[in-house]
Amino acid sequence: MKVGIIGAGISGLTAGRILAKAGHDIKVFEKNAGYGGRIASFHPANNASFIVDHGASYLHGNSREFIDFLKELEDHQLITKWSDSLSFFSDRRLLTEHPAREPEPYYIAPEGMNSIGKYLGRQLDFYMSEKVGGLTHIGGSRINKSPWMINSSTINVFEADAVIIATPAIQAYGLVAASQDELALRRMITVLDDIPYTSTWSFIASYEKRDSVDWKGIRCKHPVLGWICNESSKRDTEDELHLVAHTSDTFTKKIINRNDPETLNDQIKHSLSQILGSWAGRPKWSESHYWKYHFPKKNLDIPYLESDDEHAPLALVGDYFQGSSMEAAYLSGLRLGNFWADKFS
């Protein structure tokens, strides 16, 4: 069976690798140039030898399936334990541990979080920088001809026997709505219509190495910043300190319409100096990245969503199913992958 997967995040890649192992032909379409979705890494423009994680900073979870996955990644030396607790900033105080959180293991990828996406996608065919503009149901059955046509924003079209949409819910809504002449898909739209997302700016900054920075990550109760990660605690950065700060959803929504990146960066640097000290407001260099769909604010109490058209299989997976974390995304892809591997054996 030819399966088209839209989105190269952890949920789509997890479902894809299960189906590939079951003998299906998997093609993944990703609008960006990199693997992993929110498990994203990149090389700063002025330092190609160093990598930073500007999406998800770490992995953690409690389910048996996800713990098994973390063990698999650890056995392949892709992740390593980073910390058992994270720091917390509130009321102008920086605490070494979050007072409301129990210790639990947090894992990071020394070679960058996107190395996990590359690992998951080893057996899959990819079309990178290929934005899917819509789906066309062309009828038929899986026996006689493929029921789906995947239409890219370029001139390319791809036939598929089944489709998995592994994008944020808002983007999935757009793709499903474009095919809403199909009754089975109209019911899916009503479910997707009410899942809002938080947004954030990832602010990447580099400083002269400071031995006094002994924390690894800080959750912030602050009007501008929600999270600060010490990237230099993950890998050797020689004589530099690298930080990644994520803005709060409230601040991001407030600033995004101003189209004023200089003011944005100034406010983030000022906030860093409030939390860490005046030195944090004077980086040697900085870059920023906008995550329009950061975390879903609501989730569906099901592991995935599937069309009931037996002749044109279509399903949605992602972190908005039973959670909002990387663990939720993985479990969504895992459960659909296992279900389809059995259903279409």
Side-chain angles (χ1 to χ4, degrees):
M1 186 169 74
K2 292 180 293 185
V3 182
I5 299 178
I6 304 170
I10 190 171
S11 58
L13 296 180
T14 299
R17 82 160 177 165
I18 293 171
L19 293 170
K21 288 179 180 178
H24 299 285
D25 179 13
I26 311 298
K27 296 193 180 337
V28 181
F29 304 88
E30 171 56 48
K31 68 176 183 177
N32 297 311
Y35 302 84
R38 218 165 62 224
I39 46 172
S41 310
F42 88 117
H43 295 282
N46 71 330
N47 191 344
S49 65
F50 183 63
I51 196 167
V52 295
D53 300 320
H54 64 300
S57 300
Y58 55 82
L59 294 176
H60 72 117
N62 302 302
S63 66
R64 177 188 56 78
E65 298 99 324
F66 196 65
I67 290 173
D68 287 345
F69 175 58
L70 294 176
K71 180 65 166 58
E72 176 187 345
L73 296 177
E74 198 170 19
D75 288 344
H76 284 81
Q77 299 182 332
L78 289 169
I79 65 170
T80 187
K81 186 177 174 182
W82 184 43
S83 179
D84 284 316
S85 62
L86 299 172
S87 302
F88 181 62
F89 178 84
S90 179
D91 298 326
R92 300 183 182 182
R93 292 192 304 155
L94 179 58
L95 307 178
T96 56
E97 294 185 7
H98 198 303
R101 290 180 178 267
E102 294 294 327
E104 61 176 313
Y106 296 91
Y107 295 87
I108 56 93
E111 300 301 318
M113 292 292 280
N114 66 349
S115 64
I116 299 170
K118 293 176 182 177
Y119 171 76
L120 287 171
R122 290 175 303 164
Q123 297 178 319
L124 312 180
D125 292 330
F126 284 88
Y127 292 88
M128 308 305 288
S129 302
E130 189 81 62
K131 182 179 180 180
V132 172
L135 299 172
T136 303
H137 180 264
I138 57 178
S141 69
R142 294 187 303 276
I143 297 174
N144 298 320
K145 66 177 181 178
S146 299
W148 289 109
M149 192 74 75
I150 298 173
N151 311 303
S152 79
S153 297
T154 62
I155 61 173
N156 297 321
V157 292
F158 306 87
E159 289 188 11
D161 300 310
V163 174
I164 298 173
I165 301 177
T167 66
I170 295 173
Q171 295 175 332
Y173 177 95
L175 289 170
V176 174
S179 305
Q180 65 175 319
D181 55 310
E182 291 301 308
L183 180 62
L185 300 187
R186 292 178 190 170
R187 288 190 286 268
M188 302 178 81
I189 294 174
T190 60
V191 177
L192 293 172
D193 194 29
D194 190 32
I195 303 178
Y197 275 74
T198 66
S199 300
T200 190
W201 282 95
S202 290
F203 183 78
I204 305 102
S206 177
Y207 306 83
E208 296 292 345
K209 188 70 175 178
R210 297 184 63 87
D211 295 333
S212 60
V213 178
D214 55 1
W215 49 266
K216 294 183 176 180
I218 306 172
R219 300 184 190 278
C220 304
K221 189 177 180 181
H222 187 273
V224 174
L225 298 180
W227 166 250
I228 307 171
C229 183
N230 178 2
E231 289 290 312
S232 297
S233 67
K234 299 179 179 182
R235 50 192 74 93
D236 182 18
T237 62
E238 298 180 350
D239 59 348
E240 289 186 338
L241 169 68
H242 293 264
L243 303 181
V244 174
H246 289 175
T247 58
S248 68
D249 180 56
T250 302
F251 172 78
T252 307
K253 294 286 199 305
K254 179 180 177 182
I255 201 75
I256 193 61
N257 293 325
R258 296 185 186 178
N259 194 26
D260 185 359
E262 185 174 344
T263 299
L264 167 71
N265 290 338
D266 285 345
Q267 291 194 45
I268 293 174
K269 286 187 283 188
H270 177 68
S271 299
L272 284 169
S273 67
Q274 289 179 324
I275 296 170
L276 303 177
S278 59
W279 62 268
R282 300 187 297 272
K284 290 171 53 180
W285 59 262
S286 63
E287 296 185 31
S288 57
H289 176 87
Y290 177 50
W291 293 95
K292 186 174 182 179
Y293 306 118
H294 192 220
F295 288 114
K297 292 183 179 181
K298 295 176 63 176
N299 62 77
L300 303 176
D301 193 23
I302 49 177
Y304 52 81
L305 187 61
E306 185 187 30
S307 164
D308 56 10
D309 186 341
E310 293 184 3
H311 297 301
L314 182 142
L316 313 182
V317 295
D319 59 4
Y320 58 98
F321 291 98
Q322 298 181 319
S324 61
S325 63
M326 291 294 100
E327 179 182 23
Y330 173 79
L331 293 176
S332 177
L334 177 78
R335 286 165 184 162
L336 176 72
N338 287 333
F339 178 66
W340 272 18
D342 180 64
K343 181 178 181 179
F344 302 123
S345 60

